[in-house]
Amino acid sequence: MQAMNQPPGSRLHVYEVTSYGADPTGKLDSTEALLKAITDAFNGPSEGFLMKGIANLGGAYINLQGGNYRISKPLRLPAAGVGNLMISGGTLTASDDFPTDGYLIDLSASSSSSSYNYEYITIKDLMLDCNYRGGGISVINSLRTSIDNCYITHFNTEGILVQDGHETYIRNSFLGQHITAGGDPGERNFSGTAISLMGNDNAVTDVVIFSAAIGVMISGQANTLSGVHCYNKATGFGGTGIYLKLPGLTQTRIVNCYLDYSGIVAEDPVQLTISSSFFLGDAYILFKSVKGLAKGINIVDNMFSGSNKGIEIVQLDQSKGPFKQIDQVVVDRNNVNGMNLKATVAKGSVQGNGTSWTVDFSPVLLFPNLIDHVQYSVSSSGALFPSHALRNVSENRVVIESDVAVPASVFVTVDQGVSS
């Protein structure tokens, strides 16, 4: 790597922003100096191509040198069609006249000769202070973008916006509209979205979202979240930890996450897995009916902890109509403390001397009046050998009847999500 203060244009592809006149104290506006460093990096030597139409800049490095730089407009990359570039090592702060619809770092382009605007852009080791003037990072139609070890705060739109493109990885980062560590007296007023994924095949791993109205908004397919801790605006105040807004084609995996007083909302979920996650403070999962579709869902092996207010761990919003197409939905093996268990699989038993036995599963089964599959056994200690049959499963109550009165124990297993 080149030595410090080496002049611009070095063939080693390191562009130190103070060499362009950027003020690392944050007192003076550094926008033009930073844009000049970025432009020189774009116009620097390239080493062939990555994807077709994407010039390989060979690891060009915009070095912020640990400074705090005030900017008055977005740092927008000057042209599409380049890749293998890193911006790293400092703080960017929006000035008081920064555009409220802008992003401090803007990976967008009006046109590109490639199917993607950029490839392998790395944004690393940065603090971005949006000064309540817009968003932090915008990644539009880019391929293999990495956002690593960033702290993004004081946004009022999105901390990170990912739109179209493919494989943006966001990891080891912290996002919050207001700098807090929970219990903020202004929590009801949190606004904005920390991360918005409007594209496919992205991953968010080991990320903390400490204040926003919505932690992660997902409206693209095949995204995965792992190790994400959301304690943004609490559900009780109208906030959402993770909002899945792709009705009918969710294709999302949420694993090993921590929903801390803020839950998960999924519209018409299809192919959704939520597992090995912890829900604290009465946080719950809400299925929201849009066209009444719920298919291919696994809500398994999670922990729920609440305050004994009778809140159910999984709930249905059927205000726009009931769920009518339900298939392969498994809500099972979750453990609960201080909340009400809901599931699609349940077991029960009843004892009595007579000709009818009823097991009521309505308190635990998720969907009303839906039992797809029943298994039962009758154990009788009497001398008679009765004939018996399943007579009714309406309203999530299973009724077994025999032809003669006998003392018996009846054991029943029901399932609401058996594949059709």
Side-chain angles (χ1 to χ4, degrees), residues 45-379:
S46 60
E47 302 175 2
F49 288 87
L50 300 173
M51 287 285 290
K52 182 180 178 181
I54 303 288
N56 182 359
L57 295 178
Y61 174 26
I62 310 297
N63 184 4
L64 298 186
Q65 300 171 265
N68 183 353
Y69 304 94
R70 181 159 55 90
I71 60 175
S72 54
K73 63 182 180 181
L75 299 182
R76 185 173 183 179
L77 303 189
V82 298
N84 198 2
L85 166 75
M86 180 166 68
I87 303 172
S88 177
T91 297
L92 299 175
T93 301
S95 65
D96 291 340
D97 57 349
F98 190 91
T100 56
D101 60 350
Y103 295 83
L104 295 182
I105 298 176
D106 188 348
L107 304 187
S108 65
S110 57
S111 63
S112 174
S113 60
S114 171
S115 54
Y116 298 98
N117 291 332
Y118 309 104
E119 181 181 3
Y120 190 36
I121 304 295
T122 299
I123 300 169
K124 183 178 181 183
D125 301 338
L126 296 179
M127 181 171 182
L128 303 180
D129 186 340
C130 305
N131 192 25
Y132 305 109
R133 299 288 301 176
I137 302 172
S138 171
V139 182
I140 309 297
N141 194 33
S142 294
L143 175 63
R144 292 184 271 272
T145 304
S146 177
I147 299 172
D148 188 7
N149 191 35
C150 289
Y151 188 123
I152 303 174
T153 189
H154 299 150
F155 52 85
N156 58 9
T157 54
E158 294 95 1
I160 299 173
L161 169 65
V162 178
Q163 184 175 335
D164 300 321
H166 193 226
E167 294 173 344
T168 293
Y169 272 48
I170 303 167
R171 55 183 176 261
N172 306 325
S173 293
F174 305 88
L175 298 97
Q177 183 185 43
H178 302 273
I179 297 178
T180 179
D184 193 297
E187 181 180 359
R188 292 177 183 270
N189 300 319
F190 291 172
S191 64
T193 299
I195 298 173
S196 181
L197 300 179
M198 301 174 66
N200 304 342
D201 308 325
N202 307 295
V204 181
T205 60
D206 300 325
V207 164
V208 173
I209 297 167
F210 52 86
S211 67
I214 298 174
V216 184
M217 172 73 81
I218 301 177
S219 53
Q221 305 168 33
N223 294 288
T224 184
L225 277 64
S226 174
V228 176
H229 180 190
C230 294
Y231 62 98
N232 50 294
K233 186 175 184 177
T235 296
F237 297 154
T240 304
I242 300 169
Y243 198 116
L244 305 167
K245 195 176 182 62
L246 189 65
L249 201 59
T250 311
Q251 294 179 336
T252 299
R253 293 141 292 156
I254 300 171
V255 297
N256 196 34
C257 289
Y258 181 7
L259 282 299
D260 193 345
Y261 284 77
S262 59
I264 296 175
V265 177
E267 296 185 354
D268 275 5
V270 173
Q271 291 196 306
L272 168 64
T273 290
I274 303 172
S275 68
S276 303
S277 294
F278 179 40
F279 294 75
L280 181 67
D282 292 318
Y284 58 87
I285 300 167
L286 179 68
F287 294 160
K288 195 169 187 177
S289 174
V290 177
K291 296 184 178 179
L293 188 62
K295 291 187 175 182
I297 303 168
N298 293 301
I299 313 294
V300 296
D301 300 326
N302 301 288
M303 298 188 299
F304 293 82
S305 180
S307 53
N308 293 302
K309 295 179 181 177
I311 294 176
E312 299 169 347
I313 64 169
V314 183
Q315 301 179 21
L316 305 178
D317 179 349
Q318 300 185 94
S319 58
K320 293 186 177 180
F323 283 98
K324 297 173 289 187
Q325 301 179 60
I326 302 166
D327 187 22
Q328 302 177 73
V329 178
V330 179
V331 180
D332 194 21
R333 302 199 312 267
N334 301 295
N335 70 66
V336 177
N337 180 30
M339 297 178 72
N340 287 358
L341 179 68
K342 300 298 283 189
T344 59
V345 179
K347 296 180 180 180
S349 64
V350 64
Q351 296 81 37
N353 190 338
T355 60
S356 181
W357 297 265
T358 299
V359 182
D360 185 1
F361 291 102
S362 58
V364 67
L365 288 178
L366 176 62
F367 296 102
N369 196 25
L370 173 66
I371 293 177
D372 278 342
H373 185 76
V374 178
Q375 289 181 302
Y376 78 91
S377 60
V378 175
S379 174

